[in-house]
Amino acid sequence: DTGVSQDPRHKITKRGQNVTFRCDPISEHNRLYWYRQTLGQGPEFLTYFQNEAQLEKSRLLSDRFSAERPKGSFSTLEIQRTEQGDSAMYLCASSLLAGGPGNEQFFGPGTRLTVL
Amino acid sequence: QQQVKQSPQSLIVQKGGISIINCAYENTAFDYFPWYQQFPGKGPALLIAIRPDVSEKKEGRFTISFNKSAKQFSLHIMDSQPGDSATYFCAAISGPYGGSQGNLIFGKGTKLSVKP
């Protein structure tokens, strides 16, 4: 399968713990996006990378959220000191360039986070 | 501030009927409008997309109608099938194509149920 993969698919954690999610994009894609989706809502943009450079991070929800893409391939999203309000589906998407005709974003299956 | 407004929130259609989902936007910088289909527990999957210089695009049973002056666009699903039961999201990307960061801005979604 050459699609976007995410790991783990589900994560249950206790409030205050740190969690890290991984995303492996489609191999030739140099753009990687992270979105958050809460129940009954559309995905909400968090941050994105072009290759290894994080070009937008002002939309990360708080300073407890951070993301990396160290070698321009896979990416990780870390949430420190989790809160119950962080419970959501975290989606990763990749595309060739900025997105648009011929550069559509392809989404992974998501990581469902539950904070107890 | 919701930049893409989607309606209805839920829709029930009989098998063989036409499903219509509507979206409206305010930001004239949007220049690409994809629709995504999402099944429970899965990531969104691109269904069909349109540029504002085109008034209609059809792919199989799925048609996007676009009204640039009204800043509205809609998805029509012809001959709706039970397998079409999913949540549908309209989205938009700010231009210029290829030069923007390319993050998708989603509507809140429409949950479609097609009854056999």
Side-chain angles (χ1 to χ4, degrees), chain B residues 59-108:
Chain B
E59 290 183 2
R61 296 185 294 111
F62 301 92
T63 300
I64 300 177
S65 298
F66 193 90
N67 185 332
K68 187 175 181 178
S69 61
K71 290 185 284 187
Q72 295 175 347
F73 58 109
S74 60
L75 176 69
H76 295 233
I77 305 174
M78 313 299 288
D79 187 27
S80 299
Q81 299 296 314
D84 297 331
S85 297
T87 300
Y88 292 81
F89 294 94
C90 60
I93 292 180
S94 288
Y97 163 64
S100 69
Q101 68 183 33
N103 60 289
L104 289 160
I105 297 167
F106 285 87
K108 290 192 173 184

Side-chain angles (χ1 to χ4, degrees), chain A residues 31 33 35 37 98 104-105, chain B residues 32 36 38 97 101-102 104:
Chain A
R31 286 272 178 121
Y33 299 82
Y35 294 83
Q37 185 177 23
E104 287 82 4
Q105 293 183 32
Chain B
Y32 188 61
Y36 281 80
Q38 187 176 30
Y97 163 64
Q101 68 183 33
L104 289 160

Side-chain angles (χ1 to χ4, degrees), chain A residues 6-108:
Chain A
Q6 292 187 245
D7 184 70
R9 295 292 309 278
H10 303 275
K11 179 70 177 179
I12 300 174
T13 191
K14 293 182 179 179
R15 185 164 49 99
Q17 298 295 304
N18 298 344
V19 294
T20 300
F21 311 139
R22 176 179 171 126
C23 171
D24 287 89
I26 294 171
S27 59
E28 63 268 28
H29 286 182
N30 52 30
R31 286 272 178 121
L32 187 148
Y33 299 82
W34 284 100
Y35 294 83
R36 184 182 79 153
Q37 185 177 23
T38 54
L39 200 62
Q41 301 294 318
E44 173 190 11
F45 169 71
L46 296 178
T47 187
Y48 86 106
F49 295 84
Q50 181 157 318
N51 300 313
E52 67 276 7
Q54 189 175 13
L55 299 184
E56 172 60 63
K57 54 183 179 180
S58 67
R59 307 284 284 278
L60 286 168
L61 300 164
S62 78
D63 58 7
R64 298 183 297 104
F65 287 71
S66 63
E68 293 182 340
R69 193 182 184 195
K71 296 183 179 179
S73 56
F74 74 91
S75 175
T76 58
L77 178 69
E78 181 181 16
I79 308 173
Q80 296 183 326
R81 306 181 302 282
T82 53
E83 301 174 356
Q84 289 185 324
D86 297 333
S87 296
M89 175 81 88
Y90 291 85
L91 293 162
C92 174
S94 70
S95 70
L96 279 172
L97 289 171
N103 293 308
E104 287 82 4
Q105 293 183 32
F106 294 87
F107 283 81

Side-chain angles (χ1 to χ4, degrees), chain A residues 41-42, chain B residues 1-7 23-27 30 90 105-109:
Chain A
Q41 301 294 318
Chain B
Q1 181 183 0
Q2 188 183 355
Q3 297 194 55
V4 179
K5 294 184 178 181
Q6 184 172 348
S7 63
C23 284
Y25 65 98
E26 289 295 325
N27 189 346
F30 291 153
C90 60
I105 297 167
F106 285 87
K108 290 192 173 184

